[in-house]
Amino acid sequence: MLELGDIERAIAISDPQLGEHLVTYLEQDDPTAGRPELSPDDNDDDDDDERVTYEEPPDNAFDLYALRRAINDKAGNRTNTEVKLARLEAFATAEASPFMPPRLRLGKILIALYERDDDFARTALTHVFAFGRMKWGVWQAAKAIYKRAEAARDLGLFGVLAYRFDAMQATPHVATEIRGGTLTYLRRRAWRALRQIGTALPDVYPTYAVEILRHYPAAFAKHNNSWVASQIWGHTNLKGARGNWSFGPPGWGDPMAMRAFPDAWKLSPSPLLRLLDSAHNDLVCDFAIRSLRADHPLALRAVEPAWLARLGARKIAAIDAFVVALLKDNPDFHQSKLRAVGLHATVIGFLRSESPEARTYAIEYAQAHGQDLPVDELVALISGTHDDVVKFAAARLEQLPPAQIGLVNLVRLLAVNAAPWAADKLAQGFDPRTIDPALFVQMADPDRGGDGFARLLAVYAKANVQVPAGHWMALADDPTIAKGGWAAGERLATALRELGKRTAKDLGVAWIQRSLEQKARTVAVAAWLDAGMLTGADLDVEWLKRLVGKQRLRPIALRLLGDRRRVAPATVGLPWLLELARSPEADLAQFAQRMLLESFEPADFGGVDRVWELATGPKQKEAVRTFAATYLKAHHPDLGPRTAEARTLGIKPRLTHADYALATVRPLFDDDRVDVRRLAVAIGAEEIARWDDSDLVYQIASGKFPEPRRLGAELLLSVLATESAPRIPAQWIDGARVFQLAESGHKASREVALTLIRRMYERVGGAERLAWLMESPERDVRLFAVRLFWDRHRPKPWPTDYQPRKLVGAPLGTERFSDLAALRQFARVVLFGLPPGRIGERDPVLEGGPKPERALPASIAKRRLIEAMRDVGLEDVELARAIAPVLGEFTHSTAKGEWHASVQALTQLRAKHGQEMTA
């Protein structure tokens, strides 16, 4: 990218490339209004830190669009002078505006350059006016300099500008800034100046006309729009004999009758000879040749070989045919003499001519006098587009032995359809192993090798020779292949497919690694790796670990790292995996955990104690604790095979029961972290029977956290199961502990205890213990105790021969009161036995175990028990009759609470049961 300051510096130092710089500068798009020329538009830079914010131009800014509006404004009935003054004022305002493209200042710079009047300035101006993109700025200089050149008879700049005005088209970029009317005016003005010269100075006219015609490019016929050239040739809007040219004469005929100022062309052949030496357009050269033949035939009879050689080197079809005609017409230039006069190379060069006449002549000459044509030249000719030359070169090459043609040329000829014999000659004369990678890659390029690549592969196959891996690698690395179209993509795919059949030793580990990281090769190389191309020491674990950091390649790297057949887990490294396990990205954390579970022994972590530290340590992150807990569960000898991870990964437990000691697990039941408690529960469920610690069951059953409580409940209730063996020994069910659990502060724990008491009452029960529960602060416990007491201990009719056991020493849960009097006495003892004042806390059953709430006044405890007995009595009339006398005694109590509760209970019972109370 160039800016106007670069142009000014090039002028200051007389840079010989100034003309090329000007053309490049004019091809660039204008910067956004108000921004520097080289600033990035729309802040599209990838680096946010490099972005620059520019102020948007105000709505009334005089920018390029405002200038166009001002120039095209036709409002009002203004005279031509007023319109011209308005345009000049608009341009002056534009040049001073900061919102205009800097190239508008280029006009004054080029005008100042013209005023230097030296070869440097004229060369640069001629180049930019011939090839530069015409738009405001340079257009100002073009018009001004043309007027000066016309007035000063400046032949060089007059000629190039007259040509450019004549050749310019109303293309979109021109139409917005340069009016078609202006172009028409300048074309007519150029012809008017040329006509005036022809009228006043006929001998000078051809020189001026030649200076204009020599600038028309070879492709100008495509434009089909000319005024000046058509006037020089004397015809307008007609098709020429050699192409669709508006100024071309229809068939030629007598050129003197068609050209403007025909007599002026007869004065001297020099302008026409100069035109042949400098023109670029085939029809312009044809015009010069016809004019020379018509006006100066004698000048063509004695031509110098050097002049013919110079013309032949121009590579223009009309000139080539002209030179051949001169050679044929002059006996001194017989084909047998051409080598001696220095025209051998010129005629051989006509084998590449666009002129059929010149090619025919060159073929005849080469057949007779060109037996020493170099093989490289013949190979180049057979690859051409002209059938006659191709046929000649093919016939000549076919006669040569393989060694003379050479390996490189034979390989290249495989791509030429005119040389079907090339493959046989290559097989006869050379071993395919001698083909180097560069030539192989050249043949694989669709733009260079064509179908020859398939033929080359067939040569390898026929010789039973494998293409070296280096050749395919060079093909894959070639940028023209890697970035080519679909055909190149097919050949790249072929290269990768063939390389996939080779070994890592053939390709090199570094090349394989580099190829995996290239997007176009990733899929293919990943398939190689999956198939085991890199194993053992060749599969660099550190490289794979680096790839994990690249999102696109991460799945491939993780898949390879997790393949124990290729990567030993120990080589991956425990620290790296543990760090990966802490990653917030799920795929990385899951991979690390899976690999640690599946592949690592406890010793790899530093022993079992270290694993427990990872699972329970206070400084460990949850992700690491989760992994370590999973490891401990998956490798438990009994629990492990049942875990989903072990089943999925096929893990065989690596730990023993000794690795799950009670001292390690017991504190975890009371850990504040739920995941740690869950680990303790999972292990405790398997190991508690082996630990042989019955106290632990009751501790966790009444603990403060739900997870251990649920486990304790499950273990205790398992002794009631009939379809499966209990999970703890039956002898662990202890009445004292169970009744202690019944007073737990957690309802679920109480329910477990009450269930055990009800289902196993014969083992754990007793009237005294039920009496103890009757005093519980929990209503549901008191009701349960009273109901169970009445159900299990109420008097029943005995057989005549039955002797009731004494209460003292009777088995728990089996004694029955002999009569209501005994039962009433027991109830009286329970109620009256509660001493006044507060009752102290009972001693806990277990050290550190739960301490039931018992610090209640006796009056409250009595009231609650009376209420419980009342509630059960409302359901069972027999109990109501049994306790009514005892309650009646309490109605005489001086304690308000006892008296009130008893009166209320008796009232409700008599209201409920009525006469049945006295039955």
Side-chain angles (χ1 to χ4, degrees):
M1 295 288 288
L2 295 173
E3 56 182 346
L4 191 62
D6 297 325
I7 300 299
E8 293 173 328
R9 284 189 290 272
I11 293 174
I13 64 174
S14 298
D15 187 344
Q17 294 184 321
L18 174 61
E20 289 83 354
H21 294 332
L22 285 166
V23 172
T24 300
Y25 179 73
L26 291 170
E27 286 296 326
Q28 296 173 180
D29 293 333
D30 294 323
T32 302
R35 297 186 183 180
E37 287 184 281
L38 300 185
S39 66
D41 287 347
D42 302 323
N43 281 334
D44 57 358
D45 199 301
D46 290 337
D47 190 350
D48 292 343
D49 295 336
E50 297 295 330
R51 295 187 178 185
V52 181
T53 302
Y54 302 99
E55 292 186 7
E56 293 296 328
D59 294 338
N60 61 348
F62 200 88
D63 55 12
L64 195 60
Y65 298 102
L67 175 60
R68 288 171 179 164
R69 289 194 300 269
I71 296 300
N72 296 323
D73 185 9
K74 299 180 180 179
N77 296 321
R78 296 184 297 178
T79 64
N80 290 338
T81 301
E82 291 173 337
V83 171
K84 181 178 181 179
L85 291 174
R87 288 170 59 86
L88 292 175
E89 181 182 357
F91 275 106
T93 303
E95 292 180 10
S97 172
F99 304 107
M100 294 298 296
R103 50 107 172 167
L104 259 66
R105 301 198 300 271
L106 189 60
K108 289 185 171 61
I109 294 174
L110 296 182
I111 292 173
L113 182 65
Y114 174 74
E115 292 172 349
R116 285 179 48 165
D117 195 24
D118 56 18
D119 291 341
F120 163 73
R122 296 178 66 82
T123 300
L125 290 172
T126 299
H127 188 82
V128 70
F129 290 148
F131 303 106
R133 184 179 179 183
M134 285 293 178
K135 49 187 177 180
W136 284 336
V138 67
W139 181 246
Q140 177 190 18
K143 293 190 298 180
I145 293 174
Y146 171 75
K147 293 175 183 178
R148 296 189 186 186
E150 180 186 311
R153 296 292 191 263
D154 186 336
L155 181 60
L157 288 171
F158 169 81
V160 69
L161 285 168
Y163 143 72
R164 191 60 188 276
F165 297 152
D166 192 38
M168 281 180 65
Q169 303 298 302
T171 54
H173 73 271
V174 171
T176 57
E177 298 186 350
I178 301 173
R179 297 181 175 183
T182 302
L183 284 175
T184 299
Y185 161 74
L186 289 172
R187 288 178 184 138
R188 293 182 180 276
R189 176 167 176 162
W191 168 242
R192 182 183 64 191
L194 193 60
R195 189 176 64 245
Q196 290 174 350
I197 293 172
T199 301
L201 301 169
D203 55 332
V204 179
Y205 167 79
T207 302
Y208 275 79
V210 165
E211 195 62 31
I212 296 173
L213 292 175
R214 75 183 189 88
H215 287 290
Y216 287 95
F220 182 72
K222 297 178 182 179
H223 299 307
N224 193 25
N225 184 17
S226 172
W227 170 262
V228 177
S230 64
Q231 295 300 323
I232 294 173
W233 286 23
H235 286 270
T236 59
N237 299 323
L238 296 174
K239 292 185 179 180
R242 301 185 62 83
N244 191 11
W245 275 61
S246 60
F247 57 79
W252 280 99
D254 184 3
M256 296 179 62
M258 293 179 289
R259 295 172 297 173
F261 305 103
D263 293 337
W265 294 102
K266 299 178 181 180
L267 296 177
S268 171
S270 296
L272 293 170
L273 295 175
R274 169 173 165 73
L275 187 59
L276 280 181
D277 280 331
S278 59
H280 306 287
N281 186 275
D282 190 67
L283 291 175
V284 170
C285 293
D286 195 39
F287 166 78
I289 292 168
R290 290 175 181 270
S291 297
L292 281 170
R293 285 175 172 164
D295 299 330
H296 305 284
L298 295 179
L300 301 179
R301 292 181 181 175
V303 293
E304 294 294 328
W307 180 69
L308 292 175
R310 188 171 70 249
L311 288 182
R314 301 215 56 218
K315 306 303 180 186
I316 297 176
I319 293 180
D320 293 347
F322 175 59
V323 172
V324 167
L326 292 179
L327 293 176
K328 289 181 177 180
D329 292 342
N330 194 328
D332 294 335
F333 297 135
H334 186 269
Q335 289 187 355
S336 60
K337 303 177 181 180
L338 293 181
R339 190 186 293 270
V341 298
L343 291 176
H344 173 77
T346 301
V347 176
I348 292 299
F350 290 157
L351 290 170
R352 291 186 172 85
S353 176
E354 294 299 320
S355 167
E357 299 90 343
R359 291 198 304 274
T360 300
Y361 183 81
I363 291 172
E364 294 174 356
Y365 176 78
Q367 289 174 337
H369 306 284
Q371 298 300 325
D372 57 347
L373 274 178
V375 172
D376 291 347
E377 178 73 6
L378 291 171
V379 171
L381 292 174
I382 199 175
S383 303
T385 58
H386 299 296
D387 293 340
D388 49 356
V389 176
V390 169
K391 183 178 179 180
F392 158 74
R396 178 69 62 86
L397 286 169
E398 189 175 8
Q399 298 173 1
L400 301 178
Q404 186 175 349
I405 298 175
L407 173 65
V408 173
N409 286 326
L410 281 173
V411 172
R412 290 174 178 170
L413 288 173
L414 292 174
V416 180
N417 292 330
W421 36 262
D424 292 337
K425 284 185 176 291
L426 178 61
Q428 294 170 8
F430 299 97
D431 187 336
R433 297 182 184 88
T434 59
I435 299 174
D436 62 20
L439 185 57
F440 183 83
V441 171
Q442 179 181 343
M443 293 301 296
D445 185 351
D447 295 332
R448 292 179 289 179
D451 296 334
F453 186 60
R455 296 172 184 151
L456 177 60
L457 296 180
V459 170
Y460 278 98
K462 185 175 182 180
N464 198 23
V465 172
Q466 188 180 50
V467 177
H471 289 39
W472 292 117
M473 293 164 62
L475 174 58
D477 290 337
D478 186 65
T480 61
I481 296 294
K483 298 181 180 179
W486 67 268
E490 285 292 327
R491 299 198 175 174
L492 174 60
T494 300
L496 295 176
R497 185 167 56 252
E498 291 297 324
L499 289 170
K501 303 174 183 177
R502 309 304 171 88
T503 66
K505 183 178 180 180
D506 296 331
L507 277 61
V509 174
W511 190 89
I512 297 172
Q513 292 178 349
R514 187 173 68 254
S515 295
L516 179 68
E517 298 185 40
Q518 294 184 14
K519 190 173 183 179
R521 309 183 196 175
T522 298
V523 174
V525 179
W528 304 348
L529 299 181
D530 288 339
M533 179 175 283
L534 293 182
T535 56
D538 288 340
L539 189 56
D540 187 351
V541 173
E542 293 303 318
W543 168 66
L544 291 176
K545 288 159 68 173
R546 289 195 299 273
L547 295 184
V548 170
K550 299 182 179 181
Q551 190 67 37
R552 184 176 64 84
L553 300 173
R554 177 179 297 172
I556 300 171
L558 294 181
R559 185 169 66 248
L560 293 171
L561 285 170
D563 189 343
R564 299 181 63 181
R565 297 171 301 173
R566 296 178 174 85
V567 178
T571 63
V572 178
L574 179 62
W576 184 77
L577 285 171
L578 290 176
E579 184 64 29
L580 211 63
R582 300 184 181 98
S583 173
E585 300 183 60
D587 58 339
L588 295 181
Q590 291 172 4
F591 164 78
Q593 294 174 12
R594 179 177 61 82
M595 191 168 188
L596 289 167
L597 281 175
E598 182 181 9
S599 305
F600 281 77
E601 300 282 350
D604 296 329
F605 297 95
V608 178
D609 291 342
R610 174 57 178 163
V611 180
W612 278 107
E613 181 183 347
L614 293 174
T616 63
K619 297 183 179 180
Q620 300 297 338
K621 294 183 178 180
E622 184 176 358
V624 176
R625 297 200 310 269
T626 300
F627 150 70
T630 305
Y631 187 91
L632 289 169
K633 289 185 288 186
H635 288 282
H636 187 278
D638 297 332
L639 175 62
R642 302 200 305 269
T643 62
E645 293 80 6
R647 291 197 303 269
T648 301
L649 301 175
I651 296 175
K652 293 183 178 180
R654 297 188 173 96
L655 299 178
T656 65
H657 293 291
D659 296 316
Y660 300 88
L662 174 61
T664 302
V665 182
R666 189 166 194 166
L668 307 184
F669 288 110
D670 295 322
D671 197 283
D672 291 334
R673 296 164 295 180
V674 64
D675 60 305
V676 176
R677 296 196 301 271
R678 288 173 179 169
L679 171 62
V681 167
I683 300 303
E686 302 296 326
E687 295 291 331
I688 196 163
R690 292 185 180 86
W691 291 335
D692 195 22
D693 188 344
S694 59
D695 293 344
L696 179 60
V697 179
Y698 296 95
Q699 286 179 355
I700 63 177
S702 60
K704 63 179 179 178
F705 293 111
E707 299 84 8
R709 287 202 305 271
R710 283 194 292 269
L711 174 61
E714 292 172 4
L715 294 172
L716 290 170
L717 294 175
S718 69
V719 300
L720 303 177
T722 58
E723 298 179 356
S724 60
R727 297 167 63 180
I728 59 174
Q731 58 268 27
W732 284 12
I733 304 299
D734 178 74
R737 290 181 176 131
V738 173
F739 276 83
Q740 181 80 17
L741 185 63
E743 291 198 85
S744 170
H746 302 286
K747 183 178 180 181
S749 299
R750 296 197 302 270
E751 290 177 349
V752 170
L754 297 180
T755 300
L756 290 171
I757 293 171
R758 183 176 65 253
R759 299 278 299 275
M760 303 180 69
Y761 188 73
E762 287 76 8
R763 178 180 177 81
V764 302
E768 294 82 358
R769 287 175 179 168
L770 284 178
W772 186 53
L773 287 185
M774 291 177 188
E775 303 166 19
S776 172
E778 301 295 338
R779 183 175 182 273
D780 59 331
V781 176
R782 294 195 303 271
L783 290 174
F784 168 83
V786 172
R787 287 193 182 101
L788 190 60
F789 171 78
W790 176 247
D791 181 63
R792 294 282 184 165
H793 296 281
R794 64 183 176 181
K796 288 189 177 182
W798 304 105
T800 56
D801 59 347
Y802 177 76
Q803 297 296 322
R805 294 173 179 268
K806 296 182 179 179
L807 290 175
V808 180
L812 290 177
T814 61
E815 67 269 23
R816 290 275 182 174
F817 292 101
S818 59
D819 52 26
L820 286 177
L823 186 146
R824 287 169 181 160
Q825 180 60 30
F826 178 84
R828 188 177 292 109
V829 171
V830 172
L831 287 174
F832 283 99
L834 293 173
R838 293 185 176 274
I839 299 177
E841 294 181 350
R842 297 178 183 177
D843 293 334
V845 175
L846 302 175
E847 181 180 355
K851 297 180 180 181
E853 180 184 355
R854 293 293 294 155
L856 292 173
S859 59
I860 296 177
K862 290 178 180 181
R863 188 187 74 232
R864 290 179 175 176
L865 178 56
I866 291 170
E867 291 173 351
M869 297 176 73
R870 174 204 65 193
D871 291 343
V872 178
L874 289 173
E875 299 174 359
D876 193 315
V877 67
E878 291 185 20
L879 179 61
R881 286 197 297 266
I883 65 173
V886 180
L887 293 177
E889 295 178 23
F890 269 87
T891 60
H892 302 289
S893 174
T894 58
K896 182 179 179 181
E898 297 174 7
W899 170 81
H900 184 273
S902 298
V903 170
Q904 184 184 37
L906 283 171
T907 303
Q908 289 180 315
L909 290 173
R910 288 167 180 166
K912 172 70 174 179
H913 299 297
Q915 295 298 324
E916 295 182 42
M917 289 284 293
T918 58

